Amino acid sequence: MRAPTDIAPHAGYPGQLFAVSWRALAQLVRSPSHSRRAEAARKLARHSLWLAAAGAALVIVLMVAFDQTEILLMPPRGTPSLWPIRILTDFGKDEYILSVLGTALVVLALVAAGLRGSRRALLLGFGTRLQFMFLSVAVSAFVAEILKYLIGRGRPFVGGKANPFNFVPFEGTGAYASLPSGHAVAAFALAFAVSALWPRLRVFMFTYAIVIVLTRLVLLAHHPSDVVAGALVGTVGAMAVRYWFAARKLGFAICADGTIVPLSGTFSDRLKRVAHRPSAP
């Protein structure tokens, strides 16, 4: 979200809320305008291709050589002592992540509609970053659901035995929705998105993502190749969303070589800069 500059200054709160919300959505679908977006697109395509090739090779190797061995080493599904792991794994559930981010966006719009000038501009700047995080997870999760349906891989021990090659494409039930791991998709998409905005949080966020995928293995919800595929889908999905934002000059800048970087400066720095500009109504 960016601070709208043409909202009628004397519009009532409902009008302000509508205008703020409309412009927050409109900025996401406007035509790309960054002069270096072509370079960034080429870099995204190149990196995505390399990641996809390396990830696909690793998934195949794990499927053939390791998946069956790993799930046989895990404790039986439903083991009572695993209750802390069952709680921890929910922190990577896409529904929960999207609910938190979506609620934060709604609250931010409600508050921003009652503000003016630099305070609104600062808050809506953070809103743009929330939009990026939300869409990184949502787009990646949507792609993952399509892949789950098309691939139809059985979860560990579905069918009564440890068979990593149990596939029923287009089956459409949870028992055959193992690849890619939805938790891995959401966790890695969120980790990439937060790290892209605030690089100092990179170690913390990717540690979180790794912990989430390990819980999926311990709980026998997925094979190792499932979580690797999920990490790949989440990362590439978030990369694509980052390009979409950068091409529209939202939250990111594009360097001469096509590298996408977060807009520089802390929020306190931005507040000082905004305060010296003409206040938005």
Side-chain angles (χ1 to χ4, degrees):
M1 300 178 182
R2 297 199 314 183
T5 58
D6 56 346
I7 298 176
H10 300 298
Y13 179 82
Q16 294 285 341
L17 179 60
F18 175 80
V20 165
S21 302
W22 174 255
R23 282 162 176 75
L25 296 174
Q27 70 176 1
L28 298 177
V29 296
R30 71 189 185 204
S31 299
S33 57
H34 204 295
S35 60
R36 296 170 179 162
R37 63 185 182 276
E39 291 88 341
R42 286 192 292 270
K43 195 158 194 171
L44 170 64
R46 186 166 62 251
H47 287 178
S48 298
L49 182 61
W50 278 107
L51 279 172
L58 181 56
V59 166
I60 293 171
V61 169
L62 289 172
M63 196 177 294
V64 172
F66 187 63
D67 278 359
Q68 183 173 351
T69 301
E70 188 275 337
I71 62 176
L72 289 173
L73 294 173
M74 294 297 103
R77 186 179 281 118
T79 300
S81 61
L82 295 180
W83 66 266
I85 305 299
R86 285 190 282 272
I87 294 174
L88 183 60
T89 198
D90 282 343
F91 285 91
K93 200 167 187 177
D94 54 8
E95 295 97 325
Y96 295 168
I97 293 172
L98 291 174
S99 293
V100 170
L101 293 174
T103 300
L105 282 168
V106 171
V107 171
L108 186 146
L110 292 172
V111 173
L115 300 177
R116 298 290 187 276
S118 60
R119 290 182 297 173
R120 173 183 282 182
L122 182 65
L123 193 60
L124 295 183
F126 181 66
T128 294
R129 287 150 182 81
L130 278 178
Q131 285 180 309
F132 167 64
M133 290 186 282
F134 180 90
L135 289 174
S136 292
V137 177
V139 170
S140 300
F142 178 73
V143 172
E145 289 302 314
I146 295 174
L147 292 175
K148 284 173 180 284
Y149 178 74
L150 295 176
I151 296 170
R153 189 187 194 188
R155 295 184 186 271
F157 298 107
V158 166
K161 59 181 180 179
N163 178 15
F165 299 100
N166 181 16
F167 291 91
V168 183
F170 314 110
E171 206 277 347
T173 65
Y176 287 89
S178 193
L179 194 157
S181 163
H183 284 66
V185 170
F188 272 86
L190 181 64
F192 182 91
V194 174
S195 300
L197 292 168
W198 301 288
R200 291 182 180 180
L201 296 177
R202 184 180 295 117
V203 172
F204 172 79
M205 290 306 303
F206 280 101
T207 299
Y208 147 80
I210 291 170
V211 168
I212 293 299
V213 301
L214 290 177
T215 67
R216 305 310 288 161
L217 299 179
V218 172
L219 294 173
L220 287 177
H222 291 283
H223 304 86
S225 56
D226 298 333
V227 299
V228 170
L232 175 65
V233 171
T235 300
V236 174
M239 288 170 57
V241 174
R242 181 182 63 170
Y243 167 76
W244 184 275
F245 273 65
R248 288 156 180 79
K249 301 179 181 179
L250 299 172
F252 296 95
I254 302 176
C255 301
D257 64 349
T259 300
I260 298 175
V261 296
L263 291 178
S264 60
T266 64
F267 283 111
S268 60
D269 293 335
R270 291 196 192 101
L271 180 58
K272 293 176 183 177
R273 291 198 297 269
V274 170
H276 288 86
R277 298 174 187 166
S279 296

